[in-house]
Amino acid sequence: MREATDTANDPRRWGRGRVLRAIRQAGAIARVDIARQTGISAATVTALTAELLSEGLIERIHPEDRAPDAGRRGRPREALRLRGEARLVAGVKVSHRVITVLLVDFTGAEIGLHEAPRAEIASAPAVLADAIVAATTAACARHGRRLEDVSGICVGLAGQVDGARGHVHWSSALDRRNVDLAPALAARAPCPVFLENDANLVAKAEQLFGRGRGVDNFLVVTVQHGIGMGVILGGELHRGARGCSGELGHSKVVSDGALCQCGQRGCLEAYAGGYGLRMRAAEAGLKDMSVEDLRQAEAAGDPVAIEVLSEARQHFARVLANLVTVFDPELIVLAVEAEEGHPLCTPEVLEQVRQLSLSVDAPPTEIDVQFRDDRMWAEGATAYGIERVEALAVERRPLGQSA
């Protein structure tokens, strides 16, 4: 899998991309405002929007369909918006026991959700590729679409994923290391397939639709079974030289410490991830405890739960403080898979982060806790899928062409 061609050396593609992004960000916008926001001449904006209209990517909003602009005199201007029906995108999240598929239109509006059970935690590459395409096909059928209607499929996996190459260095969803999964998926799907680390996808969702909208430098830390991180620097997703940037859960907090599912010892996940908390509690005598069970046991005064969670909070707070010191981000979003509270994301932990972070005479990094259900992973996949499908539309590449 390769990234879409860089548009910087093609002024027309560059302009098409700028215009589409301006329309997406505004929701509905007049041509004169597109020209003002992008710096593109009004005549060029008119020509580019005529192209996009003829291709069915955008549509007109007649003045009578819009709310009047406050304080503006005269006839309301015709506005443009994305045409939702232009593209169908599937976002897929592979979890331990389920594959979740979310279908959205070109604007990001939800069409429908489907969940398909997995028979095993770690699958052979061909088996997993078959299951992903089968789940996407079933999602389409459930919501009155066909797989052939899908313009792009974006798959999120936990683990060390080089999204630019479609290569998985390691993932708990696979039974082996170093797998070129994107080609296996592309051979089974009638449309481009994009592969990415699941935490990176949540970061893209925050950038396009959430708290990171309009923020150039921010981090998203995901907290669930494991702990991941997506990094947005200068408005771009930072993957690193090998595509493994952001593996926060595998930063070392204890020398030769607890065994992590990645095979190494002392990782943050082994102490503060969902499986790490359960493992530490079981070793101390509290077996078959969920994270919520541990939180309730701590509230009831259980000494084992108190010790396990106290240790986890200390490691988590120190690592977050190091992120603030190293990256100096405007914002850190803690995206937590929980319906309400989580024992790692308490006011006391956030205060400890502030105390441990490098202090300067400027406003501190904002830390925003977002409690989400398990849909957040599939939503992240659709966000990145929309971005990649939009890039293909900008290039006018055939949708059947491999990404």
Side-chain angles (χ1 to χ4, degrees):
M1 184 180 73
R2 68 179 179 86
E3 295 287 349
T5 305
D6 184 8
T7 62
N9 296 323
D10 188 324
R12 196 160 197 84
R13 286 207 303 265
W14 177 85
R16 283 166 60 90
R18 292 273 291 177
V19 168
L20 268 179
R21 284 192 293 274
I23 296 171
R24 183 176 297 282
Q25 290 172 2
I29 187 171
R31 292 175 181 82
V32 64
D33 296 321
I34 295 174
R36 181 166 56 247
Q37 291 184 18
T38 62
I40 300 173
S41 71
T44 301
V45 167
T46 298
L48 292 175
T49 55
E51 285 182 6
L52 298 172
L53 283 164
S54 68
E55 294 164 21
L57 296 172
I58 62 175
E59 61 187 3
R60 297 180 178 87
I61 305 176
H62 296 292
E64 59 267 22
D65 296 333
R66 299 182 65 203
D69 296 330
R72 185 181 298 277
R73 295 182 178 180
R75 182 181 178 183
R77 297 192 297 255
E78 178 184 79
L80 302 169
R81 67 183 176 192
L82 296 176
R83 181 172 167 267
E85 298 82 2
R87 298 289 187 269
L88 175 65
V89 176
V92 180
K93 164 60 176 166
V94 179
S95 301
H96 274 190
R97 291 297 187 186
V98 69
I99 296 175
T100 303
V101 182
L102 180 64
L103 299 176
V104 300
D105 70 13
F106 196 43
T107 70
E110 180 177 334
I111 293 171
L113 185 77
H114 175 71
E115 292 185 340
R118 294 183 64 203
E120 53 194 0
I121 293 176
S123 303
V127 172
L128 182 60
D130 284 339
I132 289 170
V133 174
T136 307
T137 302
C140 291
R142 180 175 179 178
H143 297 288
R145 307 299 175 96
R146 301 173 304 146
L147 183 63
E148 291 74 18
D149 297 330
V150 178
S151 300
I153 301 171
C154 183
V155 179
L157 286 177
Q160 295 148 14
V161 181
D162 186 343
R165 294 197 297 128
H167 180 80
V168 183
H169 295 284
W170 171 83
S171 173
S172 58
L174 290 165
D175 66 357
R176 65 201 69 177
R177 303 178 73 93
N178 298 315
V179 174
D180 288 324
L181 187 60
L185 288 165
R188 292 162 168 80
C191 62
V193 179
F194 317 104
L195 187 68
E196 190 55 82
N197 170 272
D198 55 1
N200 283 349
L201 294 178
V202 176
K204 292 302 299 184
E206 290 292 339
Q207 182 185 40
L208 293 177
F209 304 117
R211 287 284 285 108
R213 196 167 186 172
V215 181
D216 286 336
N217 300 285
F218 71 94
L219 311 175
V220 173
V221 175
T222 59
V223 181
Q224 54 148 193
H225 179 75
I227 295 176
M229 181 171 70
V231 180
I232 302 293
L233 297 178
E236 300 294 333
L237 179 64
H238 177 71
R239 290 193 178 95
R242 298 172 299 165
C244 297
S245 173
E247 286 297 327
L248 186 66
H250 302 290
S251 56
K252 303 302 180 281
V253 295
V254 176
S255 178
D256 197 29
L259 180 65
C260 178
Q261 66 176 2
C262 74
Q264 296 188 339
R265 291 187 174 273
C267 298
L268 175 63
E269 278 190 9
Y271 292 87
Y275 73 87
L277 290 171
R278 293 191 295 272
M279 179 178 67
R280 302 290 287 170
E283 290 172 351
L286 290 181
K287 298 186 182 300
D288 300 323
M289 299 284 284
S290 68
V291 174
E292 179 60 25
D293 292 337
L294 278 174
R295 186 172 73 151
Q296 294 180 10
E298 180 190 42
D302 185 285
V304 171
I306 291 172
E307 180 179 357
V308 168
L309 291 176
S310 176
E311 178 185 48
R313 290 187 184 108
Q314 290 177 23
H315 291 315
F316 190 59
R318 291 191 188 107
V319 168
L320 289 182
N322 288 338
L323 292 179
V324 174
T325 300
V326 170
F327 286 99
D328 187 27
E330 300 170 62
L331 170 70
I332 295 178
V333 177
L334 299 183
V336 186
E337 188 179 314
E339 292 184 359
E340 37 188 57
H342 190 283
L344 294 186
C345 302
T346 64
E348 292 76 18
V349 169
L350 301 187
E351 179 56 34
Q352 189 176 4
V353 173
R354 294 185 180 93
Q355 292 176 3
L356 294 172
S357 302
L358 180 66
S359 178
V360 296
D361 294 330
T365 295
E366 180 184 0
I367 301 178
D368 184 32
V369 181
Q370 298 278 335
F371 294 113
R372 309 280 183 80
D373 59 23
D374 57 4
R375 288 166 48 96
M376 74 175 177
W377 310 99
E379 289 170 352
T382 61
Y384 186 56
I386 287 171
E387 183 176 85
R388 301 302 303 131
V389 166
E390 182 176 295
L392 295 179
V394 166
E395 295 178 8
R396 291 174 160 173
R397 281 175 55 194
L399 289 176
Q401 185 175 338
S402 173

